[in-house]
Amino acid sequence: MRQAGRYLPEYRQLRSSSNGFLDMCLTPHKACEITLQPIKRFPDIDAAILFADILIIPYALGLNLEFIEKTGPVLSPVDLKSPPDFSPDSFLEKTQPIMETLKKVKSHLKGQTLIGFAGAPWTVAAYMLQGQGGKDMAAAKAKAYENPQGMATLLDTLTTATISYLLAQIKAGAEMIQLFESWAGVLPEPYFDKWCVDPTLKIIKEIKEKFPTIPIFIFPRGASQYYKKYFENDIKPDGISLDTNMAIDQALKDIPRDVILQGGMDPQLLKAGGTPMLIEAERILTKTKDRKYIFNLGHGMTPDIPIENVEKLIQFIKGWRP
Ligand code: CP3
């Protein structure tokens, strides 16, 4: 989940002295510093996630990308009659700063795991088609349903680009990979199978062939019971990040025991803090105590989360025993 960001004054300060969000992602010494900020502030954290964004892939495919204050990311919308091509040389050149960041971060870490990431193809395609986020990605779906052939081509391009991007991240020092399928929850079953599960499993297969020991996690937000579909083949993710609404008891039954569970805690409980926050952490830790489980949130941190609450939660988790 997003760890850096606007709830940290040291992040806001760096941001105000930068030339926008994309500039921070593409300037390795800044991105390195931001990646390390949560680790410096909360030394008990076990992992650092690369500071970048899932929309670096469309940027590296040549789309115009801007992050607009209060609106979020805005891209030039893609027409499925002429989807962008993947040209390896310019893609690798444009993503090179991200690799420099990973190398720099790695040289500063003291035992924490370095997490690399990408958006899963459907989620990234949805932003590319719609040009920005939205409540349910309705405009993206309309374009995709109307032109399934064009959509298949776009998803193939994104799958190839994602494989190349993640292999480069691992070579640059990423020790674990997370694939964010933040818009898994808006598709009906056959489209979920074709647009979420198939490309994700292809990415996992290709990475496993070259780096069999790097754990790959998925975050299929809102996928409800369809999350089971990722685990029906030999090739499967090593772990799954639970979103805030996932029924933990059901997930414990549905997900094979060798798969690592992660996350689940509603970030808004960190905003509330106090007893409600600790009761929920206790509930999640107790339910998952007989499984491989990594404590994490069910979605990203929001700017209004008080730092004291984060400190209290980390202290509680580190002191917790079944
Ligand atoms: O801890 C980290 O900083 C990790 C890096 C990271 C970011 N985004 C930085 C970021 C990661 C892993 C992401 C993932 C991401 N980005 C997702 C998948 C996870 C999820 O939230 O579902 C998605 C959908 C995006 C696209 C994106 N980027 C949106 C929709 C926004 C605006 C959101 C908002 O809250 O305003 C961003 C901006 C963004 N990406 C910020 C950060 C720290 C906020 C930047 C700022 O305004 O300073």
Side-chain angles (χ1 to χ4, degrees):
M1 292 308 117
R2 257 177 259 165
Q3 298 171 331
R6 291 154 291 181
Y7 78 102
L8 291 177
E10 56 270 36
Y11 171 81
R12 290 195 300 266
Q13 200 197 339
L14 225 157
R15 193 191 201 290
S16 67
S17 66
S18 294
N19 193 13
F21 180 80
L22 193 56
D23 169 64
M24 294 195 297
C25 293
L26 298 173
T27 310
H29 77 269
K30 288 184 189 172
C32 171
E33 191 177 332
I34 299 169
T35 302
L36 296 171
Q37 280 173 347
I39 299 276
K40 287 191 180 146
R41 192 178 265 276
F42 313 112
D44 281 338
I45 279 187
D46 298 295
I49 186 160
L50 163 74
F51 178 78
D53 197 84
I54 63 164
L55 300 175
I56 290 294
I57 287 188
Y59 158 81
L61 290 172
L63 268 72
N64 200 25
L65 170 65
E66 272 182 275
F67 284 83
I68 299 172
E69 199 75 47
K70 299 205 165 68
T71 305
V74 179
L75 291 155
S76 33
V78 161
D79 182 347
L80 283 179
K81 287 194 200 95
S82 52
D85 286 326
F86 173 67
S87 35
D89 291 347
S90 77
F91 183 85
L92 288 173
E93 192 188 310
K94 284 195 152 147
T95 52
Q96 192 51 35
I98 308 290
M99 309 312 151
E100 295 307 319
T101 301
L102 283 163
K103 286 180 203 158
K104 266 193 205 309
V105 172
K106 183 95 170 212
S107 72
H108 284 92
L109 289 178
K110 298 187 183 70
Q112 299 94 339
T113 301
L114 178 52
I115 308 173
F117 72 92
W122 153 248
T123 291
V124 175
Y127 282 99
M128 290 168 78
L129 293 172
Q130 189 158 304
Q132 59 188 84
K135 223 174 83 238
D136 48 14
M137 286 289 179
K141 289 200 287 180
K143 277 179 149 180
Y145 291 151
E146 270 166 25
N147 187 343
Q149 206 57 50
M151 186 60 179
T153 305
L154 176 60
L155 287 172
D156 272 351
T157 302
L158 286 171
T159 302
T160 306
T162 306
I163 292 165
S164 142
Y165 184 51
L166 291 176
L167 288 174
Q169 287 191 25
I170 295 168
K171 285 178 197 148
E175 297 162 306
M176 170 177 171
I177 294 295
Q178 168 124 301
L179 280 166
F180 289 97
E181 190 72 283
S182 304
W183 293 99
V186 299
L187 294 175
E189 190 170 7
Y191 291 93
F192 179 84
D193 293 347
K194 219 168 25 190
W195 293 350
C196 296
V197 180
D198 290 354
T200 294
L201 295 184
K202 175 149 192 231
I203 293 167
I204 293 173
K205 179 170 178 285
E206 299 267 335
I207 295 176
K208 290 281 167 196
E209 268 167 24
K210 300 216 167 62
F211 297 101
T213 62
I214 298 284
I216 307 174
F217 278 56
I218 53 163
F219 173 60
R221 186 168 69 96
S224 63
Q225 69 272 34
Y226 299 157
Y227 60 73
K228 285 183 273 188
K229 290 166 176 277
Y230 290 102
F231 302 100
E232 289 168 353
N233 303 290
D234 287 348
I235 302 286
K236 62 178 192 299
D238 297 284
I240 179 168
S241 293
L242 310 177
D243 66 47
T244 296
N245 299 309
M246 230 186 236
I248 295 187
D249 291 324
Q250 196 60 43
L252 289 168
K253 282 192 208 126
D254 287 342
I255 296 168
R257 281 198 75 83
D258 59 335
V259 175
I260 304 159
L261 306 177
Q262 168 173 257
M265 174 121 175
D266 186 352
Q268 290 316 302
L269 277 158
L270 269 92
K271 184 178 165 195
T275 312
M277 172 177 83
L278 299 183
I279 287 176
E280 178 63 351
E282 169 82 38
R283 181 185 77 94
I284 296 174
L285 288 167
T286 305
K287 281 197 185 293
T288 55
K289 73 180 168 41
D290 298 322
R291 290 287 290 252
K292 297 179 194 165
Y293 175 75
I294 298 170
F295 196 94
N296 203 334
L297 305 180
H299 205 198
M301 309 274 291
T302 49
D304 51 9
I305 291 177
I307 291 169
E308 314 83 79
N309 295 352
V310 184
E311 273 161 6
K312 223 179 266 164
L313 180 62
I314 293 172
Q315 207 182 11
F316 178 79
I317 296 159
K318 284 292 178 182
W320 190 85
R321 296 290 177 273

